[in-house]
Structure formats: C-alpha cells, structure tokens
Amino acid sequence: MKNLFLALFFLLSATVSAQNITATGSIFDSKHQPLIGATATLFSKNNPSHKLGDVANANGNFTVRGLSVGTYTIQISFVGFTTLTKSIEIKQNNQRLGSFTLKEESIDLKEITAVGRATRAQQTEDTIKYNADAFKTIQGADASTLISKMPGIVVDGSGKIQAQGETVQKVLVDGKPFFDGDPNLALKNLPAEVVQNIQVFDKKSEQAEFTGFEDGNSVKTINVITRRGVQTGVFGKFNAGIGMDEDNKTDYQGSASMNIFRGDRRITLLGMSNNINQQNFSQDDLAGIMGGGMGMGRGGRGGGFGGGSTLVSGGSGITKTNAGGLNYTDKWGKKIDITGGYFFNMTNNTLIQTKNDSYFKPDALGRFQTSDENDFSKTRNINHRFNLKLDYQIDPNNSLTFMPSLSFQSNNGTSSMLYNTYLNGLSSTKTNTASSRDVTANNLSGMLLYRHRFSKSGRTISLTLNGSSNQNNNDGSTDQHFLNNAITIDNYQTILNNSNGYSLGANAIYTEPLGKTAQLQATYNVNYNHRDIDKQTLDRLTMVLDTALSNLYNSDYLTQSGGLGYRLSSKGLMLMANLNFQHAALTGDQTYPLLANTDKSYNSVLPNMMLNYRFNAYNTVRVFLRSSTAAPSIQQLQNVIDNSNPAAITGGNPNLNQQISNNALFRYTFTPKSGQTLIVMFSAGNTVNYIGNSTILATKDSVLQKGIILRNGAQYSSPVNLSGSWNMNSMFTFGFPVDFLKSNLNISTNFGFNQIPSLYNGVKQITKNYTIAPKAILGSNISDKLDFTLSYGAAYNLARNNVSSISNNTYLNQTASFKLDWIFWKGLTFQNNMSYQNYRSFANSLSSGFTQNYFLWTASVGKKIMKGNRGEIKLQAYDILRQNKSLTRNVYDNYYEDAVSNVLKPFVMVSFTYDLRNFSGQKYQQQQQNQNRQRQQMWQNGGMPGGGMPPAGSMPPGGGMPGGMPMM
C-alpha cells in the first residue's frame, strides 16, 4: 500500500508539473536585430480559444508561462513584417523554442501606395497600432506632436490627450509604465524619432488582465514601442531661454530631460523652471488640496457640464513653475520587474478674474438674478509624489504584484473677492471678502495582488488587498463685509478644518473553463471607508467658537458585492457578461451643531456586458454596458451651514441616497488597406438619484438654523436627489491621405447632449445643453524639414431651460489655426503659430449680442548648429498682435457663467536648445533611415529601379494618417 501511495504521488506530481510549463524564444529581423514589441502567441490545439503569449523585450526574448504538454500553434507578428505561423510540440518545462526570424513584407510595385497606407494603422482585437514611420514630424519633435497627427487621437492646448473619444490616463513605453498617472509628462519627454509604433487600447486592471474578464476598471492607454537600436543609449533635450515682456519684466524658461536606456533598465531624469505658464503636472498633484477649500468663493456649485471652452491653455492666471522628476524601470533577475517614479512640482499662481452669471429662472417675485464677481488671488502649491510597481513571478503559476504610492501636498495663499448680485438689473447684495489659507495634505495607498494558475487550463484564482490613508488640514481666516438694501454685516472668522480617513478592501476572483470557448467567473468584493471631519469656526476677534458654523462628523461606508460572469471567445467574437449583487451600508454621526445620525442601506443589481466582434482584419465593433454606484460625499451629508459668503450660503443634506449610473458605449473602427481610418463612437448614460442642487433665492430675511439668517436677495443651496439626469455623446472621425498635397486630412464631428435637473425656489427645472462640433485638420506628411498644420473647428452650443424660455442661450465658438515649422538653407529655422478665436452669442439669448474675437500670433527664427544639427539658437516673439485673451463659457444646472482671466503679456525671448542622442545601435538606426530616404526618392521618381520592392514598413512621402481631431 505504501508503494502504491508513492507511485500515485509521483504520478500526480509529474502530471501537475507537465501542466505548468514555461517556454522561451527570441524574435529577430533578417539582420538579426531584436524586434522589440513583437508578439508571440500560442494557441492550444485542444482548446483554441485559450491563448497564452508575451511581447519581446529589448533583447528580442519572450517567455510564455502556464503551458501544458501538447500540440500548439505559435504565431509571431510585428507591424510591417510577415506574420509567421507554425505548429510546435511542448514536451518539457523551460523548453527553448528557438529563434524566429520575421521578413519585411514585399509587394508588387503597383501596390506600393496601397500597402504603404495599410501599414499606417492596424486593428488587432481592441488595439489600434499606428506605424510612426507613416507620420512625418519636424526634427526635434516629441512624441506628443507625433501622436497628434494620428487619426482618433487629440492633444489639446493644455496637454490633455484623448483617444477614440476617451481621456488617456496611462502611458507605457515598451509595455512598462512611464511616469504613471501623467500621460502628458510622459509623451513630452520622449522624442518622436525613437518611436516605432503607437498602440492605443483599453488597459484592463491587473486582475482582469490575468483572468481575461473585463471588470469595468479599464483605462484608455497608449503604449509607445521604441525603435530597434535605441534600447541601449542616452537621449534627451536641454533648453534655456530668457526674454522680456512689454512691461520690461524678465521672462525665462529652462528645462532638461535625460533618458538612460540599458536594455531592461531605463532611467529618466527631468527638470523645468519657467514663468510663462508651461506646466508639467497632473490632477493627482492637486488631489489632496481639491475639495478642502474654505468656501471663500461663491459657495456651492451644481453639476456643470458642456459649454466650457477656455481660449488660453495652461490654466487660469499666470503661473511660475519649478518641477523635477525621476522614472525608473528595470528587471531584477529573472523573476522581478520593477517600475517606480518620483515627481516634484512647485507652482506660484497669480489670478485676476472677472465672472458674470445669469440665472435661468426668476425668483418667487418674478425677478431674474444676475451677478458679477472680481477675484484676485496668489497661491503657492507644492507637491511630492512617489509611486512603485513590483511584479514578482514566483514560478510559472504564481505571482505577486505590489503597488504602493505616497504623496505630500501643501497649498497656501491669499485672495480677495468683490461679489455683487442684481435683481432685474437693480443692485441686491454686495459682498467684499479677503481671506488666507494654509493647507497640508498627504495620502498613502497600496495594493497587493496574488495570482495563481491551476494545472487545468483556464482555471485561476486571484486575491487582492488594498488600503489607503489620507489626511487634510485646511486652516485659514476670512474677513467679510456684506451689504444689502437693509442691513450691513461684518464677519471676521478663523477656520480650522481638519479631515482624515482610511479605506480597506479585498477582492477574490475565481475562473473555471467551460469547454473550449467559454469561461465562468465568480467574484466577491468588500470595501470599507471611514472619514472624520472636525471643522471649528471661531470669531477672529474674540476666538469664541461659533457652534452654528462648526461641526464634528464621522461616516462609514461599507459595500459588499458578489456575482457571476460568463465569457465566450470564438471566431472573432468575444462576449463577456457579469451580474453582481451589491449591498451598501452608510452610517454617519454628527456631534454638533446638531445631534444627528444617518443610517442607510442600499441593495443594487449591477449588470455589466462587453462585446468585441472582429468582422475581418479591418472592421471591429465594441459594445460596452456598465452599471455602478456612488455614495454621497461626507461634505454633502453634513447638516451644517457654510456662510463664508453670506450672498451664497451652502448646506448639506443627511437624507441623500446613493447615485446609480448606467452607461453604454458603441465603437466601430475601420482601417482598410487604402490608408483610411474611420472611427464611429456613441455613448449614453443615465444617473438614478442624481445628486443635484436645490437653490432658494430669498425674497425676505429668513432663519435657516441655529440663528443663521438668509438675507433678502441672498441664496441658499444644498444637495438633493433628483431624477432626469442624462448624457449622450457621439463622435465621427474620418482620416485619409491627400497625395497631391503630400498631406493628411482628418475630418470629425462631435455631438454632445447633457440634461441636468435642479430645484430653484422649490420648482424642478431641467437644463439641456446641446453641442455640435465639426472640425477639419490638414496636416503635412512631407519630411522632417517641413511640417504644417491647418485646422478649423466650430462648437455650436444651445442651452435650453424648460421653465423659462427667456433664459435660453445660444452661442458659437469658432477656432482656426495655422502652424508651420520649416528648416531650410544651411539649417535656418522658421516657426509660425497663428490662431484665431471668435465667440458669438445669438439673439434671444441672455447674453444676446455678446461677441469676442482675437488673433494670437507667435513666431520665431533660428539657426541649427553643432554636429548633426542637434543644437538650435532661436529668437521668439509671443503674441505679436497684442490680442491674447482668456474667456470661458460654462453652463450649469440653473445658470451660465462667463469668466475672463489675466493672460501672459507679449514678450520676446532668446533660447538655446540641444537634442542629446547617443545610441549603441545608432549606426544601424541611421542605415535604416538612409534606406527609407532612398525609397522615398524612388517613389517620387515613379518606382524602384531594377524591379526592387519596398518593405511595407517604409512609407512614401505624402502617405500617412491625418492629424488628430480635437473634440470641442
């Protein structure tokens, strides 16, 4: 019997071992250069729907884990090369599959143009891959400029990136995070010339990537695949400039970035300093500051939407910036991958702003309210941000991922505000406020993920633990003078506002194969959030606590959910459906100003569905449906009054219920061999129990609570659950080459609709905003010596209120621009950037007859110097016509707002720029570039001599995809 057990034990061990196999291989081109980013995919003959794969690293090596003994089909692919497919036998662990050589595609001479266009964009499942060689950029351009030429990708003036109608939240370089959380920073510090391909896709969460099930947490991601020959070397850019504006004040800028690549080890260092509104930081750098304000301004705002269009980028006001950062990526041994980063920024902002508001509905006496506001503020913000990702591959079937992050932030400043309200054009209230604040915030978070793959193909389990802790201390003072037609009030307050909280969560996912093409998933998720707020408002003269304006509050929010999911993958179809049941419990305890308790529970059924269908290599459809919940914030739940602005008092509502959001998305992508690219996208959403605003405009003095008086002509706003919240957006973009101009044309149309409910003086009103935004961009694709972009766009906006038609608003915002970069005789350079803005409000609008228009013209001349023309001396003139303006129009739930801010004054600057390039593989890369130029000349002459055929990865001049289309 003992021998039998031993025999069974060894047999079982051998069986399990045989099903936990790792295989390795290498991918090269015909010159035996590694093809970094090439894909190796293995399909099991017994279960064709189950596939395993990897992407070749800097040395061309790939590793595929989780295989079992048996027959597989391996597919090796890379853009511009012929796909290789062959049958292999997996027999043992750590099996070496050998080296695979891909050949560059060759074509008939008659198909040169067609094939060249075909390789500009390629659709693979949910990923669009662009060939960087098809898009010409001026020498020295960065990756941000490169992607702006690609259809479906938009880079606006502030650096925000959109792809396929969605905001890009993550950038990878050769599959590794690069300045995680800051796409603009990542792309600005990569030169365009090192980019081979750009991939755009929806990156799943760590668990979803492992299980194959979509969990609704995917983010739009760009993966930059670098060229062969640049994986080992040093490259970067250095820039310094000094100038003077029209007031004889000194303007300056300086920046440096250096990338050190040594195979898997990649280090990026950067720094910048300037006073001309150039900023390189993300929303994360303000996360601990936002939401902790002292209410110095206008009071609570409702849900704004659509309609806003800032004419000047870089944020409001004038900002001085000092920033620096480090990004580190490496592979420690064979089992550990590490990515980490540190970023620091310090900004000093001066803002001078004027706002004018018009409300849609009259008060109880039939009076329409308008207001104007003059703001002045000086703010200093300092941020330190750390992040790390550590992947540990314990063995072929077990792995650990650890992702901690830490940030420290401080914000201090002074501000003043003069706020006037009017009823039917007659003065109602005046408020003069001066305040100061000192805010510190920190946040610590971490995620630990364990993943295990069982011996049975498709059977997996993954466990996640996550937690966070944050603290926000917001202290300050306010001096205020309030006046209406009957009374004058002076307030002198010291406010100590401290809040802290933590969260804990766990998630478990188990998957089980169902036959050869299907898979079942079971999930359980639990999350707990705790928050404490201690706000003390004191009379600054007597230091006596004002209990009516102070509060002590804590809340707990616990959610538990479980569900089942089904995934089907077969012949171009991938269908995923999940059904989750969620129970949420929300409790809150308020100590003062009033004793109050909140105890609520919610039960929700949340369906999710995703469908990907690929008709053929050029036609792909994606459909996505998702439901989610959101609890009211602790600020919204507090039954406490904030009268920091007596003309616009705000309060909370402890009776709020959670929101339930339902969203749907449809996207169709067409990338034919003709070189055209067509993307059609439609999305719609509805929010049940939408948390909107209830606003009361007082027609006489009234008491709110604890003796706080709402004066005649002032307003009181509080959050309330409402029905009727809808949104819809559609996008159509079509790009195609214009060969006779050696350019690309991209046309697009965006249609948006938002419906926001609100209460005004107890009456429900619906504000609808419609936006139609056509745009066209003609971008050159000539050479790295000449680059131009000509664009025109318009945004036609209609705001309609169901209660008061006199409040309807119609306006048109038109933009046109012309950009030219030219390197000509003996390295002389000329740059021109001219834009025109026209804003017009139509008749029968609240702001009928309001028109703004201006030209912003910036130009420079320079000279390329030093070896390889890597250096440049340049003289730049900004705002030559002295017409620059900053105007923003925003439409909210019950009013619209026009805001005008201070802008940079015209200046002249002398600068020096140096592009550092030192690659170990630079000789090979130069040979490839010379070959491409020779092919371009042959194409221009009508063909290739001797019947030679060009590789598909090389583009003739004039080919390429059109520039990206900004959404308006």
Side-chain angles (χ1 to χ4, degrees):
M1 183 64 70
K2 179 180 179 181
N3 292 335
L4 178 60
F5 280 131
L6 287 175
L8 290 174
F9 173 77
F10 285 117
L11 178 62
L12 179 61
S13 298
T15 302
V16 172
S17 176
Q19 293 177 329
N20 295 331
I21 291 175
T22 298
T24 61
S26 304
I27 307 174
F28 300 98
D29 66 2
S30 58
K31 293 182 174 61
H32 203 66
Q33 294 292 324
L35 284 177
I36 182 172
T39 302
T41 307
L42 274 72
F43 301 86
S44 171
K45 288 290 183 68
N46 297 326
N47 185 5
S49 66
H50 184 61
K51 57 184 179 181
L52 300 168
D54 193 21
V55 175
N57 62 18
N59 299 316
N61 299 324
F62 66 88
T63 301
V64 182
R65 299 179 174 88
L67 300 169
S68 57
V69 172
T71 303
Y72 285 80
T73 297
I74 186 169
Q75 185 180 86
I76 309 293
S77 61
F78 192 66
V79 170
F81 290 77
T82 302
T83 298
L84 186 153
T85 303
K86 64 183 296 187
S87 179
I88 60 172
E89 289 289 334
I90 299 296
K91 300 178 180 180
Q92 61 186 11
N93 193 24
N94 297 321
Q95 181 170 333
R96 176 67 182 172
L97 302 179
S99 297
F100 299 90
T101 300
L102 297 185
K103 297 180 179 179
E104 294 185 84
E105 293 175 338
S106 61
I107 57 173
D108 192 325
L109 185 61
K110 296 179 180 180
E111 298 176 349
I112 287 177
T113 304
V115 172
R117 292 173 181 170
T119 55
R120 296 173 186 176
Q122 177 181 341
Q123 178 79 31
T124 305
E125 296 184 355
D126 64 343
T127 300
I128 294 183
K129 180 183 285 188
Y130 299 94
N131 184 1
D133 287 333
F135 307 94
K136 302 297 186 296
T137 57
I138 200 74
Q139 180 182 336
D142 56 40
S144 178
T145 302
L146 172 65
I147 68 168
S148 69
K149 289 178 169 289
M150 297 175 176
I153 301 180
V154 179
V155 182
D156 68 15
S158 65
K160 180 182 177 182
I161 305 166
Q162 281 193 331
Q164 300 166 351
E166 301 176 54
T167 300
V168 173
Q169 301 182 42
K170 187 181 291 289
V171 167
L172 310 176
V173 175
D174 295 325
K176 305 290 181 134
F178 190 66
F179 284 102
D180 202 17
D182 203 333
N184 180 40
L185 183 65
L187 293 171
K188 284 290 186 183
N189 287 281
L190 280 175
E193 64 193 82
V194 306
V195 180
Q196 179 69 49
N197 299 106
I198 293 291
Q199 294 177 324
V200 179
F201 61 100
D202 296 306
K203 188 180 188 305
K204 303 180 180 66
S205 66
E206 297 290 332
Q207 278 185 312
E209 287 182 343
F210 178 68
T211 63
F213 276 83
E214 177 69 57
D215 59 6
N217 296 318
S218 61
V219 296
K220 188 62 67 177
T221 301
I222 288 178
N223 182 33
V224 179
I225 299 176
T226 57
R227 294 182 182 276
R228 293 166 284 157
V230 304
Q231 286 78 43
T232 299
V234 179
F235 59 94
K237 182 186 286 285
F238 303 90
N239 173 267
I242 190 167
M244 185 173 295
D245 67 15
E246 63 180 9
D247 292 336
N248 295 324
K249 293 182 179 179
T250 301
D251 290 318
Y252 64 89
Q253 66 168 340
S255 63
S257 66
M258 179 179 291
N259 300 274
I260 306 169
F261 282 18
R262 293 288 185 271
D264 289 322
R265 177 178 297 171
R266 300 184 174 190
I267 300 173
T268 299
L269 302 169
L270 61 91
M272 66 180 300
S273 178
N274 70 84
N275 64 350
I276 56 173
N277 275 14
Q278 292 183 359
Q279 300 169 15
N280 264 340
F281 57 85
S282 69
Q283 200 69 9
D284 291 341
D285 299 320
L286 303 175
I289 302 301
M290 298 177 66
M294 298 175 55
M296 186 286 297
R298 307 276 307 279
R301 286 306 197 197
F305 65 89
S309 55
T310 304
L311 305 187
V312 174
S313 62
S316 298
I318 309 299
T319 301
K320 298 179 181 180
T321 302
N322 296 284
L326 163 70
N327 192 80
Y328 174 77
T329 300
D330 202 357
K331 190 175 185 66
W332 293 351
K334 296 182 179 180
K335 295 186 175 183
I336 297 178
D337 289 305
I338 183 171
T339 300
Y342 164 73
F343 186 72
F344 161 80
N345 81 70
M346 178 175 68
T347 61
N348 292 274
N349 176 267
T350 299
L351 173 65
I352 304 172
Q353 190 173 65
T354 300
K355 298 178 182 178
N356 291 277
D357 293 355
S358 296
Y359 284 78
F360 295 135
K361 187 178 181 297
D363 66 6
L365 300 179
R367 301 174 298 180
F368 279 92
Q369 184 184 29
T370 57
S371 67
D372 61 59
E373 175 181 341
N374 294 284
D375 297 323
F376 175 82
S377 66
K378 287 192 173 184
T379 305
R380 182 180 186 181
N381 184 79
I382 299 176
N383 178 77
H384 300 267
R385 173 161 48 94
F386 305 83
N387 61 75
L388 178 71
K389 181 183 180 185
L390 191 69
D391 288 309
Y392 176 41
Q393 190 70 43
I394 304 170
D395 57 44
N397 298 294
N398 295 278
S399 67
L400 278 175
T401 298
F402 180 50
M403 297 177 62
S405 65
L406 176 66
S407 66
F408 301 95
Q409 298 154 13
S410 66
N411 182 284
N412 58 75
T414 59
S415 59
S416 62
M417 178 191 72
L418 180 61
Y419 178 52
N420 302 309
T421 65
Y422 307 87
L423 294 172
N424 287 345
L426 300 177
S427 177
S428 176
T429 67
K430 295 183 179 181
T431 306
N432 194 343
T433 304
S435 65
S436 63
R437 69 172 182 175
D438 187 0
V439 185
T440 59
N442 60 73
N443 183 77
L444 172 66
S445 64
M447 186 275 288
L448 181 65
L449 169 63
Y450 168 72
R451 295 177 288 191
H452 174 73
R453 195 187 308 274
F454 291 92
S455 57
K456 184 176 181 180
S457 179
R459 179 181 292 170
T460 67
I461 189 170
S462 58
L463 305 171
T464 302
L465 298 175
N466 55 70
S468 67
S469 175
N470 55 80
Q471 186 175 20
N472 185 302
N473 299 315
N474 187 346
D475 302 333
S477 63
T478 300
D479 295 347
Q480 195 168 80
H481 180 76
F482 173 80
L483 172 69
N484 68 4
N485 294 327
I487 195 170
T488 299
I489 301 174
D490 292 318
N491 286 323
Y492 304 95
Q493 297 176 341
T494 294
I495 302 175
L496 308 176
N497 193 355
N498 301 315
S499 65
N500 58 78
Y502 63 89
S503 66
L504 299 170
N507 187 34
I509 298 179
Y510 174 81
T511 64
E512 179 70 23
L514 299 176
K516 295 182 178 180
T517 60
Q519 197 175 19
L520 184 70
Q521 174 180 265
T523 63
Y524 173 75
N525 184 72
V526 58
N527 281 287
Y528 172 73
N529 290 273
H530 176 82
R531 192 79 182 165
D532 293 309
I533 288 185
D534 182 2
K535 180 182 179 181
Q536 300 180 45
T537 303
L538 302 96
D539 186 302
R540 192 164 60 82
L541 302 179
T542 64
M543 296 306 292
V544 174
L545 181 69
D546 188 340
T547 58
L549 301 177
S550 303
N551 69 293
L552 187 63
Y553 190 90
N554 66 77
S555 70
D556 298 282
Y557 185 56
L558 175 67
T559 62
Q560 298 183 77
S561 64
L564 291 175
Y566 177 78
R567 182 175 183 268
L568 175 67
S569 180
S570 177
K571 296 181 180 179
L573 170 68
M574 199 287 286
L575 173 65
M576 184 278 298
N578 286 328
L579 187 63
N580 293 321
F581 174 79
Q582 178 180 287
H583 174 75
L586 176 64
T587 60
D589 295 307
Q590 180 172 290
T591 304
Y592 63 85
L594 300 172
L595 289 175
N597 295 302
T598 301
D599 190 356
K600 295 179 177 293
S601 63
Y602 315 98
N603 294 313
S604 306
V605 177
L606 304 174
N608 292 284
M609 189 274 287
M610 185 184 72
L611 181 146
N612 277 338
Y613 186 72
R614 189 177 185 185
F615 297 96
N616 51 45
Y618 317 114
N619 293 270
T620 304
V621 167
R622 178 181 175 91
V623 179
F624 186 73
L625 304 173
R626 185 188 180 195
S627 294
S628 61
T629 63
S633 70
I634 191 170
Q635 288 83 3
Q636 292 172 327
L637 288 170
Q638 295 176 89
N639 189 20
V640 63
I641 298 296
D642 179 359
N643 75 336
S644 54
N645 183 355
I649 299 176
T650 63
N653 181 1
N655 298 315
L656 289 175
N657 290 319
Q658 69 174 359
Q659 295 184 147
I660 301 177
S661 298
N662 303 291
N663 296 282
L665 180 143
F666 168 86
R667 184 169 67 234
Y668 170 71
T669 306
F670 179 52
T671 55
K673 284 189 175 182
S674 62
Q676 301 168 348
T677 298
L678 172 67
I679 300 174
V680 178
M681 189 271 293
F682 175 82
S683 65
N686 164 252
T687 301
V688 180
N689 289 329
Y690 168 76
I691 299 178
N693 260 1
S694 173
T695 302
I696 297 174
L697 180 61
T699 57
K700 61 181 181 180
D701 290 353
S702 57
V703 179
L704 295 174
Q705 69 178 38
K706 298 285 286 186
I708 297 176
I709 299 176
L710 179 65
R711 299 294 178 179
N712 179 26
Q715 67 178 33
Y716 173 72
S717 299
S718 61
V720 61
N721 289 116
L722 296 168
S723 61
S725 172
W726 290 88
N727 67 83
M728 184 184 70
N729 187 60
S730 63
M731 179 195 73
F732 168 87
T733 179
F734 180 54
F736 55 94
V738 183
D739 290 333
F740 74 93
L741 291 176
K742 295 183 180 179
S743 302
N744 314 294
L745 180 62
N746 195 22
I747 57 176
S748 73
T749 299
N750 185 51
F751 173 76
F753 167 76
N754 284 275
Q755 177 174 295
I756 301 296
S758 63
L759 290 179
Y760 194 75
N761 290 325
V763 177
K764 183 178 179 179
Q765 62 178 4
I766 299 292
T767 301
K768 299 179 181 180
N769 193 60
Y770 306 84
T771 303
I772 302 174
K775 193 170 183 74
I777 292 183
L778 181 68
S780 70
N781 203 31
I782 300 173
S783 72
D784 61 353
K785 304 297 183 183
L786 179 63
D787 186 34
F788 70 84
T789 302
L790 181 65
S791 68
Y792 170 79
Y796 185 71
N797 294 267
L798 300 92
R800 296 293 181 261
N801 185 276
N802 69 324
V803 175
S804 175
S805 60
I806 197 174
S807 304
N808 292 339
N809 194 348
T810 304
Y811 59 97
L812 174 67
N813 186 19
Q814 300 180 85
T815 62
S817 68
F818 175 67
K819 297 180 181 180
L820 174 68
D821 288 287
W822 187 20
I823 303 175
F824 56 106
W825 181 70
K826 293 186 177 181
L828 293 178
T829 66
F830 175 71
Q831 292 180 324
N832 181 83
N833 189 346
M834 176 173 283
S835 62
Y836 172 73
Q837 292 276 354
N838 175 267
Y839 178 91
R840 177 187 176 190
S841 183
F842 292 93
N844 300 321
S845 295
L846 282 173
S847 55
S848 177
F850 179 76
T851 300
Q852 288 278 347
N853 61 81
Y854 76 96
F855 283 95
L856 177 60
W857 182 21
T858 299
S860 71
V861 293
K863 176 70 171 65
K864 293 285 186 179
I865 59 174
M866 307 177 72
K867 183 179 179 180
N869 285 335
R870 294 300 181 190
E872 182 183 7
I873 297 176
K874 182 168 62 176
L875 175 64
Q876 175 188 2
Y878 173 81
D879 190 14
I880 297 173
L881 301 179
R882 292 180 170 84
Q883 294 186 15
N884 190 21
K885 298 177 183 178
S886 172
L887 170 65
T888 304
R889 162 64 62 91
N890 290 302
V891 180
Y892 294 93
D893 48 8
N894 56 22
Y895 69 98
Y896 80 89
E897 175 182 86
D898 288 325
V900 179
S901 305
N902 57 320
V903 297
L904 283 174
K905 294 185 177 181
F907 66 82
V908 176
M909 178 172 289
V910 177
S911 63
F912 170 74
T913 301
Y914 178 74
D915 293 321
L916 173 65
R917 303 289 186 270
N918 184 14
F919 299 112
S920 297
Q922 196 167 18
K923 182 177 180 180
Y924 172 78
Q925 183 188 10
Q926 186 63 45
Q927 291 174 351
Q928 293 294 102
Q929 291 175 348
N930 290 337
Q931 291 175 7
N932 287 339
R933 279 194 288 268
Q934 291 173 4
R935 294 186 184 108
Q936 291 170 5
Q937 293 174 358
M938 294 173 184
W939 271 313
Q940 290 174 344
N941 295 329
M944 299 189 68
M949 304 305 162
S954 303
M955 303 299 121
M961 303 305 295
M965 180 59 55
M967 296 299 131
M968 301 187 67

